[in-house]
Amino acid sequence: MHGERLFMSFWEKLLNAIGNTAGNVLSAVVEAIRTVFEGDPETRRKVAFSVAIIALSAKMAKADGIVSEKEVDAFREIFEFPPEQAKNVARLYNLARQDVAGYEAYAERLSSLCVTCAANCPVLEEVLDGLFHIAKADGLVHEKELAFLRHVGEIFHMNEEHFERIAARHVSMGRDPYKVLGVSPSDDFTTIRRRYHGLVSEHHPDRLISRGVPAEFHAIANERMAALNAAYEAIEKERRAA
């Protein structure tokens, strides 16, 4: 109950601080997060993370040109906000869609929060996983969505190999289990198993809290773990049959 009250209060505080801002919404949001949650870095980090996902989801929907009901449902799977907060979340989503600032500005702002990571930041990987989750909700990651996600990955300083590994977990057509784990078919099974266990440890849902990721992202973490497990099992089955 206390968590719900906190969740309700920070949306209300944030949107009250933004007011009826027109034009560059990003600047108003960033300033509101900085001032409203000053002295509470943990909440500020969670709010910034949540706002970034909402804004980038809105921008991705705009890039694709279509917002399907399934995409909205996928969004709600990530953010299980109370029904009475739906209007507040929708308002922020629509403000982000209408903002004169491009999605690059939102991605760059979020990337700047991860000051401890030079590249392939695990927190930003969570963001990309969340965006892929929404993009594929209608059964297909469209070409414009993939281009959008690839550019966001570049802004997040994800190298190409790392981005392809993230994408491989979500794009089911021709999914390559070796690419999902970031290994090569020429690697011996001991190397592959070591890599798999390392990824499981790195991406375990229990590690999300220490990274400051909202609890709502546990669904994304569980989905990622399922993809890693499926890839490992496919390779193990293949090697046994050989």
Side-chain angles (χ1 to χ4, degrees):
M1 182 61 73
H2 175 71
E4 279 192 9
R5 284 200 301 271
L6 174 63
F7 194 79
M8 282 188 262
S9 65
F10 80 54
W11 287 116
E12 289 165 352
K13 285 180 182 177
L14 181 65
L15 287 162
N16 286 339
I18 295 169
N20 295 314
T21 302
N24 195 337
V25 178
L26 175 61
S27 294
V29 169
V30 170
E31 181 62 18
I33 291 172
R34 188 182 70 80
T35 56
V36 173
F37 304 103
E38 192 171 6
D40 187 355
E42 183 179 350
T43 300
R44 183 169 56 190
R45 187 170 60 246
K46 290 181 179 180
V47 172
F49 189 94
S50 301
V51 167
I53 287 290
I54 292 171
L56 288 173
S57 299
K59 292 294 188 183
M60 184 169 65
K62 191 173 183 179
D64 183 39
I66 301 170
V67 183
S68 72
E69 190 173 333
K70 288 181 179 178
E71 285 176 331
V72 174
D73 289 342
F75 182 84
R76 290 199 66 124
E77 286 172 8
I78 300 173
F79 288 97
E80 299 174 359
F81 45 83
E84 60 269 28
Q85 291 301 303
K87 287 184 179 180
N88 285 332
V89 175
R91 181 180 158 210
L92 183 57
Y93 185 90
N94 288 326
L95 281 172
R97 287 192 72 188
Q98 297 160 15
D99 191 1
V100 295
Y103 70 87
E104 296 91 345
Y106 282 89
E108 286 165 4
R109 177 64 66 172
L110 181 59
S111 183
S112 70
L113 294 175
C114 296
V115 294
T116 59
C117 303
N120 301 332
C121 174
V123 174
L124 297 178
E125 186 170 344
E126 301 289 347
V127 175
L128 277 174
D129 269 326
L131 292 172
F132 265 109
H133 179 77
I134 295 168
K136 71 182 181 183
D138 58 0
L140 178 69
V141 178
H142 298 276
E143 188 176 333
K144 288 182 179 179
E145 290 173 326
L146 188 58
F148 174 98
L149 291 163
R150 189 178 296 280
H151 193 195
V152 169
E154 290 170 358
I155 294 170
F156 285 174
H157 305 293
M158 298 282 175
N159 63 43
E160 186 176 351
E161 182 182 353
H162 197 80
F163 178 83
E164 291 297 336
R165 184 161 61 82
I166 296 169
R169 296 199 292 258
H170 299 278
V171 182
S172 58
M173 188 178 294
R175 179 178 288 169
D176 182 347
Y178 291 95
K179 187 176 285 187
V180 170
L181 296 183
V183 295
S184 168
S186 61
D187 289 335
D188 60 58
F189 192 66
T190 299
T191 300
I192 292 171
R193 183 171 57 240
R194 189 182 305 119
R195 171 67 172 169
Y196 164 70
H197 286 304
L199 288 171
V200 167
S201 175
E202 178 185 350
H203 294 294
H204 196 280
D206 289 346
R207 299 194 67 176
L208 289 177
I209 295 174
S210 64
R211 293 174 182 167
V213 177
E216 289 77 17
F217 262 68
H218 283 190
I220 299 300
N222 289 331
E223 184 179 282
R224 179 171 55 245
M225 290 295 292
L228 294 175
N229 290 337
Y232 180 74
E233 288 168 9
I235 294 172
E236 186 178 38
K237 183 177 180 181
E238 174 192 295
R239 294 297 173 101
R240 283 178 176 172

Short mmCIF file of all heavy atoms in Angstrom, two decimals, residues 30 54 57 113 156 160 172 177 197 221:
data_model
loop_
_atom_site.label_atom_id
_atom_site.label_comp_id
_atom_site.label_asym_id
_atom_site.label_seq_id
_atom_site.Cartn_x
_atom_site.Cartn_y
_atom_site.Cartn_z
N VAL A 30 12.89 17.43 -16.98
CA VAL A 30 14.19 17.29 -16.33
C VAL A 30 14.29 18.23 -15.13
O VAL A 30 14.76 17.83 -14.05
CB VAL A 30 15.33 17.59 -17.34
CG1 VAL A 30 16.67 17.68 -16.62
CG2 VAL A 30 15.38 16.51 -18.41
N ILE A 54 8.58 6.00 -20.78
CA ILE A 54 7.32 6.53 -21.29
C ILE A 54 7.58 7.41 -22.51
O ILE A 54 6.93 7.27 -23.55
CB ILE A 54 6.57 7.32 -20.20
CG1 ILE A 54 6.09 6.38 -19.10
CG2 ILE A 54 5.38 8.08 -20.79
CD1 ILE A 54 5.53 7.08 -17.88
N SER A 57 8.92 5.43 -25.51
CA SER A 57 7.82 4.62 -26.06
C SER A 57 6.91 5.49 -26.92
O SER A 57 6.48 5.08 -28.01
CB SER A 57 7.00 3.99 -24.93
OG SER A 57 7.79 3.14 -24.15
N LEU A 113 22.60 9.85 -17.42
CA LEU A 113 22.39 9.44 -16.04
C LEU A 113 23.32 8.30 -15.65
O LEU A 113 23.59 8.08 -14.47
CB LEU A 113 20.93 9.01 -15.82
CG LEU A 113 19.84 10.08 -15.94
CD1 LEU A 113 18.47 9.45 -15.82
CD2 LEU A 113 20.03 11.15 -14.87
N PHE A 156 23.03 5.24 -26.60
CA PHE A 156 23.33 4.60 -25.32
C PHE A 156 24.75 4.01 -25.28
O PHE A 156 25.12 3.37 -24.30
CB PHE A 156 22.34 3.47 -25.04
CG PHE A 156 20.96 3.93 -24.63
CD1 PHE A 156 19.94 3.00 -24.47
CD2 PHE A 156 20.68 5.27 -24.40
CE1 PHE A 156 18.67 3.40 -24.08
CE2 PHE A 156 19.42 5.67 -24.01
CZ PHE A 156 18.41 4.74 -23.84
N GLU A 160 27.80 -2.48 -31.70
CA GLU A 160 26.91 -3.18 -32.64
C GLU A 160 26.67 -4.63 -32.23
O GLU A 160 25.53 -5.13 -32.28
CB GLU A 160 27.50 -3.14 -34.05
CG GLU A 160 26.58 -3.73 -35.11
CD GLU A 160 27.12 -3.58 -36.51
OE1 GLU A 160 28.14 -2.87 -36.69
OE2 GLU A 160 26.54 -4.18 -37.43
N SER A 172 12.03 -12.91 -33.27
CA SER A 172 11.94 -14.38 -33.26
C SER A 172 12.27 -15.01 -34.60
O SER A 172 12.74 -16.14 -34.66
CB SER A 172 10.54 -14.81 -32.80
OG SER A 172 9.55 -14.28 -33.65
N PRO A 177 20.50 -18.83 -31.50
CA PRO A 177 20.82 -18.99 -30.08
C PRO A 177 22.24 -18.57 -29.75
O PRO A 177 22.52 -18.11 -28.64
CB PRO A 177 20.60 -20.48 -29.83
CG PRO A 177 20.70 -21.13 -31.16
CD PRO A 177 20.17 -20.12 -32.14
N HIS A 197 26.23 -18.89 -17.86
CA HIS A 197 26.12 -18.68 -16.41
C HIS A 197 26.46 -17.23 -16.04
O HIS A 197 25.86 -16.66 -15.12
CB HIS A 197 27.01 -19.66 -15.65
CG HIS A 197 26.48 -21.06 -15.64
ND1 HIS A 197 25.22 -21.37 -15.17
CD2 HIS A 197 27.04 -22.24 -16.04
CE1 HIS A 197 25.01 -22.68 -15.27
NE2 HIS A 197 26.11 -23.22 -15.80
N ALA A 221 12.79 -8.56 -17.10
CA ALA A 221 13.93 -9.39 -16.68
C ALA A 221 13.60 -10.87 -16.81
O ALA A 221 14.43 -11.66 -17.25
CB ALA A 221 14.32 -9.05 -15.25
#
